[in-house]
Amino acid sequence: MFRNNYDNDAVTFSPQGRIFQVEYAQEAVKQGSVVVGLVNKTHVVLVGLKRNAEELSSYQRKIIEIDSHMGVAIAGLASDARVLSNFMKQQSLGSRMTYGRPIPVERIVSQISDRAQLNTQQYGRRPYGVGLLVAGVDESGPHLFDFQPSGMTYEMSACAIGARSQMARTYLERNLDKFADSSRDELITHGLRALKETLSQDKELTVDNTSVGVVGLAPEGSKGRIESFKLYDGQIIAPLLEALEQTESGETREGEMEVDS
Amino acid sequence: MNHFPESWGRPRNDIYGVYNPSFLQTTGPKAHTQSPAVTGTSVIAVKFNGGVAIAADNLASYGSLARFTDVKRLRTFGDSAVVGFGGDVSDMQYIDRLLGSIDIKENYSAHGNLLNAKNLHTYLSKVFYKRRSEFNPLWNHVLVAGFDGNGQPFLSSADLLGTTYSAPHLATGFGAHLAVPILRRLFPEEKPIEEISKEQAVAALKECIKVLWYRDARSLDSYSIAVISKDGIEVKQDEKLEAQSWAFAESIKGYGAQTV
């Protein structure tokens, strides 16, 4: 019987230079439902598609607030994500305690990637089976990071991970140049449209299965420097979905007019 | 020769009588970390329009002995914060190493050191408080000068107990008694710091350093001064007090062998 001898633990290379357990962990990310993140000059938006395990159960949380300046969207094993997000919450609180400042996004991302990397180099451990999109603002502006079980992190201008995320990435790549100068609301709509691209034929975005997280710099002249992380979930997401519908119907009408003329 | 170390350097028993051995602690916990050994005296600082000026002399005393005369007690951190240390010099050097490692860690980031003076002050106060809670205090009183998160001039103090306070002008050590009254007269509470120029602030600090040199027996006439403004930090480390006049000394009465 065929047997792969190089995937029994996460610390052994295959002769081809691969670490199979890490690759399998990355497969776990692809099993999770899709999350999308995107940045403009002032804001970061996270958008997630929630799944319910069965008709009678609640929907799985996809977006978690870490601190008032930061949140994560998860794809993959939710329990691993809980470990990581609790760690991030602790680090974040620790920074506020010892320095009196919100932790820089890049700093906390490198801390979780250090933890994840350790799991790929120590015997008897396993990689995290979760991918994260970390969105936050700090002194240097808004940031979006993509975190993978391998311990790799990338700063992204837009990103999608999880099941069928390729469709969302295609949308993001096609519209990338529009994001930077878009408004906060336009950015949310772009996120929702990217998310919608991933849906199978019989599915649509509803108040139950969609969540949106937004964090950004406060507009000029307002009291604080940042607009705190805001999670749109359940009924309060309805206006965002309506805005999405409006822009889409507007566009089809424009499209029709073009055909007419 | 008596080979017991505790007898060395002590008055001879045959002349002065037996030394009271209860002064020699041979048991009990280590206590040498609970008092300072080599110390720096005052640090003084003033906020002005668009920045903060801070000064300290270059002396490290061993008790009343002026032991080291070239010790720099102002330390820059990042590109817009300065810490001035009063108190134990070895503890200052320890904190200096702590700040060095924080600076390195902070610079791992692509955006460089983003910790401002206010963050630094919070950190130092927590370090002091932790150490005093372990009954192993860092015997310092520091002033942190720079800018806060909103880009406003920041000046605050933290001491060996973790106590913190701030004011438009501050001083540690003897300066708290001698310099603060002068600064309060020059820059009264009603006067907003926007009306204080950099030149006025620096002149006031020089005046205070001079008064301290006249009247604080643990001070020195060579000093360091740093000016933190939006343009960066300007540090001068080997300044000498100018235009000294000891004429006033003639009129001082009431100490030593004088008969008033």
Side-chain angles (χ1 to χ4, degrees), chain B residues 41-47 52-56 73-77 81-87 95 99 117-118 120-121 124 128 140-146 154-160 163-173 175-176 179-180 183 205 226 228:
Chain B
T41 177
S42 322
V43 184
I44 47 180
V46 193
K47 277 195 217 177
V52 192
I54 183 168
R73 298 192 289 123
L74 299 183
R75 185 211 196 273
T76 58
F77 182 82
V82 172
V83 189
F85 291 89
I95 294 170
L99 297 185
K118 193 169 188 222
L120 185 62
H121 176 258
L124 286 174
F128 283 129
N140 296 104
H141 189 171
V142 302
L143 298 186
V144 184
F154 174 86
L155 174 61
S156 196
S157 126
D159 70 7
L160 72 169
T163 315
T164 61
Y165 51 89
S166 64
H169 33 68
L170 283 174
T172 74
V180 166
L183 294 170
L205 289 188
I228 306 126

Side-chain angles (χ1 to χ4, degrees), chain A residues 95-102 104 106-107 110 138-141 143 145 155 223 225, chain B residues 102 105-111 113-116 118-120 122-124 126 149-150:
Chain A
S95 173
R96 282 194 190 269
M97 168 82 187
T98 42
Y99 300 103
R101 74 159 176 184
E106 188 186 348
R107 172 75 70 90
S110 73
D138 56 31
E139 298 272 303
S140 56
H143 297 282
F145 284 91
E155 175 148 24
K223 209 172 166 197
R225 302 187 69 193
Chain B
I102 287 180
K105 271 187 223 155
E106 194 66 12
N107 275 299
Y108 286 158
S109 154
H111 304 286
N113 189 341
L114 298 175
L115 282 173
N116 57 39
K118 193 169 188 222
N119 300 143
L120 185 62
T122 309
Y123 171 75
L124 286 174
K126 306 285 167 183
N150 299 318

